[in-house]
Every structure is written in C-alpha cells, then in structure tokens.
Amino acid sequence: MGINGEFFSAIIPAAGSGDRLGQSIPKSLVVINGKTLIQRAVESILPHVDEVIIAAPKDFELEISGLFSDNKKIKVISGGEVRSKSVAAALSQVNQNADYILVHDAARCFATQAQTIRVIDALLAGDHAVVPGIEVVDTIKVIDANNFAESTPSRSSLRAVQTPQGFSARILHRAHQSGNDATDDAALVEALGIAVRVVPGEPNAHKITTPADLEWAKRLAETNE
Ligand code: CTP
Ligand code: MG
C-alpha cells in the first residue's frame, strides 16, 4: 500500500495519434532529448503510486511495454478511439482496491513530481476531485455559432487546467459510466455535480500539441538536463 495506507492507481492516456504534431509515429513515442514522452510522463507519477496503467496506441502496445519491461507496477493496455474511451479502457483494469486514481496525459510530459504531490495532498486532505490549473494570460471570449462574441468571462475566474487530475476511485468510475467523451476527466465529474478542487498548476505542464510545442519542449529539456 502507498501513501498513508491508501492505494493509489494512475492511468496514463497515451493512445492518441498526435495528428496536430504531424510526426510519423504516435505522439507518446516521440523522443525529446533521448527520452520518449511516455517515459517522461511515467517518471513524474510512478514514485507516488502503487500501479500505472498506460493506454497505448493500437499496434504500439508491445513497443510501449518494452520501455517498462523491468517494472512490475506498470501495465499496458490498448487505448480507444477518443481520449475518454482510452481512460475508460484503463479504468476497467485498475486494481479493485484502489482508493484514488490519478489520470495524467502522456502529452504533458514535463509536469513535475511536485505537481503530482500537490494533487495527492489535496485528495488526502479530503477533496474527491482535484485538478491543477494556471491563470490564463489571454482574454477569452465565448462565441456563438456564427463567430460573434457572446460574452467575456472575467480572466480572474478562469484557469487553464492540466494533469495529473486526481479522483476518489468510486467517483471516477461513476463519472465514466455515462460513456460520454470530454477533453478532461474533471468535466465528467462536474457533470455529476461533484466539487472539483483547483490547485496550482505549473507552466511546464503545458500539453505538447503542435510542432511549436515540440520545439519548446526540446529547448526546455536541453536547458535543464
Ligand atoms: N489520447 C488517448 N486516446 C485517444 C486520444 C488521445 O489516450 N484516442 C491521449 C493522448 O495520447 C494524449 C492525451 O490523450 O496523451 C491528450 O490528447 P491530445 O493532446 O489531443 O493527443 P492526440 O490525440 O494524440 O493529438 P491530436 O489530437 O493532435 O491527434
Ligand atoms: Mg486529441
């Protein structure tokens, strides 16, 4: 058993194709300064959890499990067509005794262990759903179907949310019972009417999506490693 006698599981959705990155291999297998995104994402979580379930792109399961063959805490499964389906597939493999489950995008491979710890600490303090978030620098507008601005939410009330996101296990299971798709798991939890705590995030937990993000990531790794 892990922290405070509680069993922590982690799910890493890594099954996306990375269309916007435009590489010939899935995004989670792209190498930055000698290490793949999936290896980096695992490193920020593994020391703090009892098991990790990775949702791998179809036909890349063996390649990914080969990266972690010496670690018994890590299990690799096949992901789904959309992110929520990948998380749901991994969720079906989570240890039944899990008390808490973290969900961490492989694409946010520079999130630090400190970020993982902030999420875990909030769960242990009693929150049932926790997401890291950072302030937004842009003014954000809500638009209608014809591209006219409908409203301008106050920037101070907005946060750009990241991963790892943490949940009480039974709540994440309930959230995924709907079978709905969402870009993050907290949205499915909010739909149940459950409070989602936002703790401080970190700029480097930025999601690698575009070629410009990859250039940023390479510079970051070369500077820090
Ligand atoms: N993901 C997944 N299964 C999918 C789609 C996405 O596990 N069917 C994962 C990605 O691997 C990534 C995270 O969800 O770690 C966030 O998704 P995103 O950044 O959109 O990655 P991709 O879907 O791979 O990129 P794109 O949308 O550009 O194709
Ligand atoms: Mg995607």
Side-chain angles (χ1 to χ4, degrees):
M1 283 288 199
I3 304 160
N4 286 12
E6 308 280 359
F7 191 106
F8 276 81
S9 288
I11 289 172
I12 305 193
S17 50
D19 290 343
R20 288 169 289 179
L21 202 58
Q23 304 268 314
S24 55
I25 50 169
K27 183 158 69 178
S28 53
L29 284 166
V30 168
V31 174
I32 298 173
N33 207 23
K35 248 188 274 177
T36 58
L37 269 73
I38 184 62
Q39 285 170 301
R40 291 173 178 277
V42 165
E43 278 176 9
S44 66
I45 292 267
L46 188 62
H48 307 285
V49 299
D50 301 282
E51 66 172 4
V52 174
I53 321 275
I54 299 172
K58 291 235 161 18
D59 300 331
F60 290 88
E61 295 87 347
L62 284 179
E63 190 164 344
I64 292 197
S65 51
L67 296 173
F68 304 106
S69 49
D70 56 347
N71 198 307
K72 292 198 180 67
K73 272 163 58 172
I74 299 175
K75 185 170 178 180
V76 178
I77 58 118
S78 298
E81 289 296 310
V82 292
R83 184 186 180 283
S84 297
K85 290 261 184 300
S86 294
V87 174
L91 198 50
S92 71
Q93 301 295 311
V94 160
N95 188 305
Q96 293 199 339
N97 296 321
D99 298 294
Y100 298 101
I101 303 170
L102 306 182
V103 185
H104 183 38
D105 285 338
R108 295 187 188 274
C109 67
F110 288 103
T112 65
Q113 291 191 36
Q115 173 126 314
T116 302
I117 291 167
R118 284 194 295 278
V119 171
I120 287 176
D121 283 349
L123 291 169
L124 292 175
D127 289 317
H128 292 294
V130 181
V131 304
I134 57 173
E135 293 183 2
V136 297
V137 292
D138 293 308
T139 296
I140 311 272
K141 301 224 181 267
V142 178
I143 59 165
D144 67 16
N146 299 313
N147 286 327
F148 285 102
E150 262 178 0
S151 63
T152 308
S154 154
R155 211 162 48 192
S156 62
S157 73
L158 296 171
R159 292 293 179 273
V161 305
Q162 306 176 329
T163 66
Q165 302 191 343
F167 307 94
S168 295
R170 65 187 166 78
I171 283 171
L172 190 61
H173 282 290
R174 254 178 75 199
H176 275 274
Q177 269 163 18
S178 67
N180 291 339
D181 187 37
T183 52
D184 78 346
D185 300 279
L188 301 176
V189 169
E190 286 156 40
L192 298 175
I194 290 164
V196 176
R197 169 83 69 186
V198 181
V199 297
E202 47 194 28
N204 289 352
H206 178 64
K207 185 159 71 72
I208 296 171
T209 306
T210 64
D213 295 328
L214 189 57
E215 287 311 308
W216 164 82
K218 285 180 176 164
R219 278 197 307 275
L220 183 70
E222 280 160 16
T223 310
N224 293 346
E225 293 169 1

